[in-house]
Amino acid sequence: MATALQRAIESGQQAITAEVMPPRGGDPSHALAMAEHLRGRVHGINVTDGSRAVMRMSSLAVCRLLLDRGLEPVLQMACRDRNRLALQADLLGAHALGIHNLLCLTGDPVRAGDQADARPVNEFESVKLLRQVKAFNQGKDPVKAELLDGPTTLFAGCAADSHSRSWSGLQRRLQRKQEAGARFVQTQMVMDPAALERFQVELAGPMNLPVLAGVFLLKSAKNARFINRVVPGACIPETLIERLESADNPALEGVAIAAEQVKRYLGIVQGVHLMAIKAEERIPLVLDQAGVSSLPG
């Protein structure tokens, strides 16, 4: 049976996702509380997987906890920390646990994190992981021809940066991901609607890849400048930073900016992916201001 996210994307409906971050410890209660704010507002809740190469609870475990609470998860799976055997095991485990939405990622380099002496694996990257998902969905065993229990039903997407400075490189990479089996694409944060429109018209559209544009909730001018400084590829324009700086309530101004982006981007692509680190409770307000209604019960 198709997931809510898969049904929305494949039917051409407006698709909304958002993300939560697993805890840096053994208690998932805060992450689950943040996810509760998204109930009835999104088609899927992404659970990050060692984002920025920082230790967090297993994405697979948090996804199952969300599923137990009637919330639809999107399992982010990064290749950095696991060899092919471990990735294959987690893919089969996700299917067995009822977790079918998947975002295939290469993963941030270890040097970006706080344990720079950790040993990366990187036997697979996102394209190879997508190929493995496609093979499992076709019932293929990597060694014995066929999976004994039949095919999996994983709905896999990929990531892309619509602001990439290498357009030809982005095109080649996205083409490889589409050919490997990606069913949708979630972009990194988008700050330029013209770049998103070009990405849709010239790349994703001709490849028949539905796009969910990344909307990042800014909290303050200081927050925006920090992101520009430390996040590779971040390009928050000075005009938005000045809006935050001059606002009486920067947090609410950030909500207003995100709502404007959601409304604009939904006129260009099929969906949006909302990122509100440590402020997930504001996502419903963003959607309300953007005129995006709750999902049917």
Side-chain angles (χ1 to χ4, degrees):
M1 182 178 176
T3 65
L5 178 61
Q6 182 176 354
R7 291 195 300 271
I9 288 176
E10 292 185 342
S11 66
Q13 297 176 42
Q14 182 176 276
I16 312 292
T17 58
E19 71 183 37
V20 297
M21 188 177 292
R24 190 180 173 91
D27 182 0
S29 57
H30 178 72
L32 298 176
M34 292 299 99
E36 279 294 336
H37 291 289
L38 306 175
R39 186 182 293 276
R41 303 309 306 266
V42 301
H43 294 93
I45 301 173
N46 285 44
V47 181
T48 59
D49 182 23
S51 179
R52 303 295 297 155
V54 171
M55 179 198 72
R56 297 272 174 182
M57 181 183 287
S58 159
S59 176
L60 185 63
V62 176
C63 282
R64 180 62 220 194
L65 293 172
L66 291 179
L67 200 61
D68 289 344
R69 287 156 177 77
L71 296 166
E72 180 161 315
V74 180
L75 173 66
Q76 290 194 4
M77 186 175 288
C79 299
R80 177 191 60 238
D81 306 318
R82 286 162 282 191
N83 68 9
R84 74 175 69 185
L85 290 169
L87 290 167
Q88 290 163 349
D90 283 350
L91 289 172
L92 296 175
H95 172 81
L97 291 171
I99 300 162
H100 299 285
N101 298 318
L102 180 68
L103 191 72
C104 296
L105 303 168
T106 297
D108 298 313
V110 167
R111 65 178 180 274
D114 58 0
Q115 298 185 65
D117 58 343
R119 292 185 180 181
V121 179
N122 294 324
E123 182 178 3
F124 275 11
E125 39 68 56
S126 57
V127 174
K128 290 182 180 178
L129 182 58
L130 285 161
R131 288 180 185 144
Q132 182 61 78
V133 173
K134 185 177 182 179
F136 279 164
N137 283 347
Q138 294 171 339
K140 296 178 181 177
D141 186 298
V143 178
K144 298 184 178 180
E146 293 183 0
L147 292 174
L148 294 178
D149 301 319
T152 58
T153 53
L154 298 168
F155 183 64
C158 66
D161 181 6
S162 61
H163 290 284
S164 175
R165 295 179 181 178
S166 173
W167 196 253
S168 59
L170 175 63
Q171 183 176 31
R172 288 192 299 270
R173 185 76 172 161
L174 193 64
Q175 182 71 49
R176 291 179 64 209
K177 290 178 179 181
Q178 189 270 340
E179 292 171 352
R183 311 278 288 279
F184 64 96
V185 54
Q186 286 182 346
T187 76
Q188 308 291 352
M189 73 166 75
V190 176
M191 290 292 164
D192 181 2
L196 178 65
E197 189 160 11
R198 184 186 179 199
F199 179 78
Q200 169 64 26
V201 171
E202 296 185 16
L203 300 186
M207 293 181 197
N208 293 316
L209 262 180
V211 176
L212 279 65
V215 175
F216 190 92
L217 179 61
L218 300 169
K219 304 179 187 70
S220 66
K222 181 180 179 181
N223 169 239
R225 289 195 174 102
F226 174 80
I227 291 167
N228 272 348
R229 189 169 64 253
V230 304
V231 177
C235 51
I236 302 166
E238 191 61 30
T239 52
L240 293 185
I241 296 175
E242 289 172 357
R243 274 183 65 177
L244 292 164
E245 205 157 37
S246 61
D248 292 333
N249 188 325
L252 290 182
E253 190 66 23
V255 168
I257 290 169
E260 292 165 11
Q261 292 174 337
V262 167
K263 194 170 184 178
R264 180 76 180 274
Y265 299 166
L266 286 175
I268 301 172
V269 296
Q270 186 174 341
V272 292
H273 174 63
L274 292 146
M275 297 166 278
I277 298 172
K278 297 182 180 179
E280 291 86 353
E281 71 279 1
R282 298 179 199 163
I283 289 177
L285 184 57
V286 171
L287 295 173
D288 288 342
Q289 289 191 18
V292 177
S293 57
S294 298
L295 303 180

